[in-house]
Amino acid sequence: MTHTPTLRIATAADLSRAPLDVTAVLDHLVREADAAAPTEIGFPGAVDLDHSEVVARLGTRLWNNIGDPADAGGTAHTRVLERAVVAWVADTLAMPPDDRWGYVTTGGTEGNLSALHAAHRRHPTARVYHSTAAHYSIPKTVAMLGARGVVVDARPDGEMDYAHLAAQIRRRRRWPAIVVATAGTTMTEAVDDTTRIRAVLDEHGVDGHLHVDAALSGIPLALDGRLRLDTTSGVGSVAISGHKFFGVPTPCGVVLVRDGIRRPVSHITYTDTADTTVTGSRCGLAAALLWHAIATHGREGHRWRVSEARRLAAYATEQLTAAGWPAWRHPHAFTVVLPTPPETVRRKWLLASDGDTSHIICMPGITRGQVDAFVADLTAAVTPRPIPRPRPATTPATH
Ligand SMILES: Cc1ncc(COP(=O)(O)O)c(C=O)c1O
């Protein structure tokens, strides 16, 4: 097999010369992804689960879960598995069985859109509060909904500044509030405290909705019992990514919303389905992959994956600090925050960086060997320039 240094099939002219050597192109893509894999420690995709059985058995035909997970009929679909996934995640979050609804999405972003759409339909005049550490999908969703967003400060460690939230709400107390908490911010994996947010809302007598964007940390924190959507939590919805903690090989996620807040939807005659979801046709393969990841490991297996990943993150923090590179992490986090390394190291290790701060994410499947190699590269590259270490809060609580 010859090595192709660049992929030369990108133009329409290339495609118009079809048939192309498709095998060579696919080989090239796989070779490039395989070559990058050992240094992919900057993005939060688990790499320890084997999804090949589902891909081999189901990956060659269309599985379309069009409509609501509760719908029946249509072409080949995996709604029975989707319902099981939604129920398992809702149970893990202690959501009341008689007040829950959800579906398998294309990812955390669609989950945020779906949940905030439901909240906004219920509270059309609400102001939508989110912190500066919220994911970019939140302000984007606020704009798509034509809602009014209010930005709240985040502390240096990434957690919401509750005093600033209170000040922002006080100035707008005549309007309902939709507050977006993040469970696992993108850069530092900080967890906003939903109990404190609820207390701020109650203190100001403001009606509204509390949504949790739990793209990365939703499942790990739910398995700990630290993220709960039980009746006392005051949390109305949650969005989780499926390709992060479960490492599913296609972008996907799960959204859960309290059934009681939803408004009636239309029934689509020609598909004979309820129009409850953001997209019409939906990926049945993603639901099957999530179901398989859950079915083959169960709660205990996934708890073990969480604790191993946290153990590695603690190890990485120690090793980096011992090498003179001041690193820190929140106690529950897979994410290790460090001063941004020199460009050569950053590029090789595909690090996500925000100015002078970068992170590595010790997702399940990342190894000590990878951490050691990263630390060795850093040590070889430069003498580090310490930055002040933000103080993480004490034990995070989301309920
Ligand atoms: C906090 C947070 N929310 C939402 C998302 C978006 O998730 P997805 O990429 O699954 O749409 C991310 C992704 O990194 C995230 O970190």
Side-chain angles (χ1 to χ4, degrees), residues 260-286:
I261 72 149
R262 297 198 304 137
R263 289 286 155 103
V265 294
S266 18
H267 186 83
I268 307 303
T269 316
Y270 83 96
T271 54
D272 193 19
T273 55
D275 189 17
T276 55
T277 54
V278 171
T279 65
S281 291
R282 297 186 303 104
C283 183
L285 182 62

Side-chain angles (χ1 to χ4, degrees), residues 44 106-110 112 133-137 182-186 213-216 240-244 251-252:
T106 53
T109 298
E110 183 185 333
N112 287 330
H135 187 254
Y136 65 84
S137 60
T182 308
T185 59
T186 312
D213 174 1
L216 170 58
I240 294 171
S241 287
H243 50 286
K244 293 191 169 92
C252 64

